[in-house]
Amino acid sequence: SGTDGLTAVELEQGIGPVRDLELGALDAALAVEGEALFTTKCSACHKIEERYVAPALGDVLARRRPEFVMNMMLNATEMVQEHPTIKELLAEFYTPMPVQITEREQARAILEYLRSVQTDLAADASGA
């Protein structure tokens, strides 16, 4: 079936500790913290607007649930080994994602940064 024995929730939200996030209004201070973490830990492979070693992340939240994004950061090894979507990406990009983020708070901050650039890109696209 290609689901590799994962539950519907795991397929949608990823394999890992993060489930059913409640995201409110954008937290600008948290996004700034997340940007610093992204620069240090993620930007060697990920860019926002272009493909690089790994997929561009400017539109990641249009493609993936926020839980999925956080679980990918916190549980990359298991995601690479077991999640069909990530296996497909590995076949395309060849570079497995290392675990750089171990604290849920850090992953949440990076998510907030990604939310902030996501909004900017959507505004750019609409000419706003």
Side-chain angles (χ1 to χ4, degrees):
S1 63
T3 61
D4 298 301
L6 302 184
T7 67
V9 169
E10 286 173 328
L11 287 169
E12 193 180 357
Q13 297 190 13
I15 305 162
V18 182
R19 288 284 170 263
D20 301 316
L21 284 178
E22 289 288 332
L23 297 178
L26 190 73
D27 180 334
L30 189 61
V32 168
E33 186 184 324
E35 182 174 13
L37 285 163
F38 182 90
T39 300
T40 305
K41 295 178 177 284
C42 314
S43 67
C45 296
H46 288 284
K47 304 301 177 197
I48 296 301
E49 297 190 41
E50 63 185 303
R51 239 188 109 102
Y52 196 56
V53 175
L57 295 179
D59 64 347
V60 70
L61 293 169
R63 294 182 279 120
R64 309 270 183 260
R65 289 277 299 262
E67 298 88 348
F68 189 104
V69 175
M70 283 184 65
N71 283 323
M72 187 67 204
M73 288 186 250
L74 292 166
N75 197 31
T77 304
E78 198 176 354
M79 288 282 283
V80 166
Q81 290 169 349
E82 298 186 23
H83 199 288
T85 302
I86 302 304
K87 287 182 182 178
E88 285 176 18
L89 285 171
L90 183 62
E92 182 182 347
F93 286 90
Y94 304 111
T95 307
M97 180 161 144
V99 175
Q100 299 269 23
I101 304 295
T102 54
E103 303 291 324
R104 185 181 169 123
E105 293 72 24
Q106 291 183 324
R108 182 65 187 81
I110 293 168
L111 177 71
E112 203 69 359
Y113 166 62
L114 292 173
R115 287 179 75 201
S116 75
V117 295
Q118 187 88 30
T119 308
D120 291 349
L121 290 174
D124 291 345
S126 69

